[in-house]
Amino acid sequence: MALSDHLRELRARVLRVTLTLIVAVVVALFFFDQLYAFVYGPYEQAQAALPAGTSIATTTGAGGGLMLYLKLCGFAALVVTSPVWLYQVWAFILPGLHPHERKWTRVFAAVATPLFAVGLVLGYVTLPKGLEILIGFNPEGIVNINDFNDYLQFFTRTLLVFGIAFEIPVFVVLLNLAGIVKGKQLGQYRSWIIVGVFVFAAAATPSSDPFTMSFMAVPMVALFLVAEVIARFNDRRRERKKPNAGLSVDEASVL
């Protein structure tokens, strides 16, 4: 295809995604109460666990309520329509991929999507505890006034951090399939990687409590160990397919 044809195809796909998002936002406006209860639920749980009057949620400015509607419905529309716009991205780059690359993209999508969903669920489950600890740092007599738009950003960022964290083992396997990382190397640095996972979890989670950190770190460590097993299996499979027992032309045999 000529460059102009690619640009026209890109424009058509962007228009489809835009129209889909607009329709989804309009539909989400009819379910605003349910969406609000879902997003505000962790904050209410944190409030219930704290002394009365410790924290209140507000909106600021004359257009605060309108922005609340638009941001919340826009966030919901982006999540619900993710299969549509992800497919449009994938369909745009698909013609440029080789058959084996297409196969691996399907495998990646089949594995990465459930892991991302599990990360989102864990982030939502641990969010009330994180909020309770963060708000609890306020001294007695200090009321935490939390703008709901800021809380929505905090809510979104927390869930995204958990979701992306669960994708890291998938990228480790992809690096192994590309020949960049070996399973033996992962085993050599396993202890350091586990320490790095806990450090990452401590920095990425919204609160500093060990409960929330462990909720992210322990499943990540388990997924990393699974990724190491897959990498070692793939290395052995790759070596069996190589001629000369996997030796290069300049490497001496142990025999």
Side-chain angles (χ1 to χ4, degrees):
M1 293 175 62
L3 177 60
S4 58
D5 295 330
H6 283 293
L7 292 177
R8 278 193 289 270
E9 181 187 0
L10 178 62
R11 181 184 61 185
R13 296 191 182 280
V14 170
L15 287 175
R16 293 192 194 105
V17 172
T18 303
L19 290 174
T20 303
L21 285 173
I22 293 174
V23 172
V25 169
V26 173
V27 173
L29 289 172
F30 291 96
F31 297 93
F32 175 80
D33 292 338
Q34 292 84 348
L35 293 172
Y36 175 77
F38 175 77
V39 173
Y40 194 56
Y43 190 85
E44 288 184 315
Q45 294 181 39
Q47 281 184 317
L50 292 167
T54 302
S55 177
I56 58 175
T58 64
T59 58
T60 57
L66 176 62
M67 292 304 299
L68 170 60
Y69 270 79
L70 295 178
K71 285 185 177 181
L72 185 54
C73 294
F75 171 70
L78 191 66
V79 173
V80 172
T81 61
S82 58
V84 176
W85 52 263
L86 285 174
Y87 169 77
Q88 294 297 331
V89 173
W90 184 74
F92 181 73
I93 66 175
L94 182 63
L97 300 179
H98 296 292
H100 69 282
E101 293 173 334
R102 297 182 186 182
K103 180 186 70 174
W104 287 119
T105 56
R106 295 188 182 95
V107 173
F108 174 78
V111 176
T113 302
L115 286 179
F116 187 77
V118 171
L120 294 180
V121 172
L122 283 179
Y124 187 83
V125 170
T126 58
L127 187 58
K129 187 64 177 180
L131 287 169
E132 177 187 344
I133 293 175
L134 289 175
I135 298 174
F137 279 114
N138 289 313
E140 186 178 355
I142 300 297
V143 178
N144 177 265
I145 301 176
N146 193 10
D147 184 82
F148 191 87
N149 291 313
D150 294 336
Y151 167 70
L152 182 60
Q153 293 180 2
F154 179 82
F155 176 90
T156 306
R157 185 172 63 249
T158 301
L159 265 61
L160 285 178
V161 165
F162 270 84
I164 294 173
F166 276 63
E167 301 297 314
I168 294 178
V170 179
F171 286 105
V172 171
V173 174
L174 289 178
L175 291 174
N176 174 259
L177 293 173
I180 300 175
V181 175
K182 301 293 184 181
K184 187 176 181 180
Q185 294 174 322
L186 295 176
Q188 291 174 345
Y189 296 99
R190 185 188 303 119
S191 57
W192 288 105
I193 293 175
I194 292 175
V195 172
V197 166
F198 275 89
V199 172
F200 168 80
T205 49
S207 63
S208 57
D209 65 294
F211 172 79
T212 306
M213 179 189 71
S214 300
F215 236 97
M216 175 185 286
V218 172
M220 283 184 64
V221 170
L223 290 172
F224 164 74
L225 295 177
V226 173
E228 181 185 340
V229 172
I230 295 175
R232 288 180 179 272
F233 174 80
N234 184 59
D235 290 341
R236 287 195 295 268
R237 180 186 61 83
R238 188 179 295 162
E239 290 175 0
R240 286 196 298 267
K241 290 185 176 181
K242 285 184 177 180
N244 303 322
L247 300 174
S248 67
V249 292
D250 299 323
E251 188 176 355
S253 170
V254 293
L255 299 178

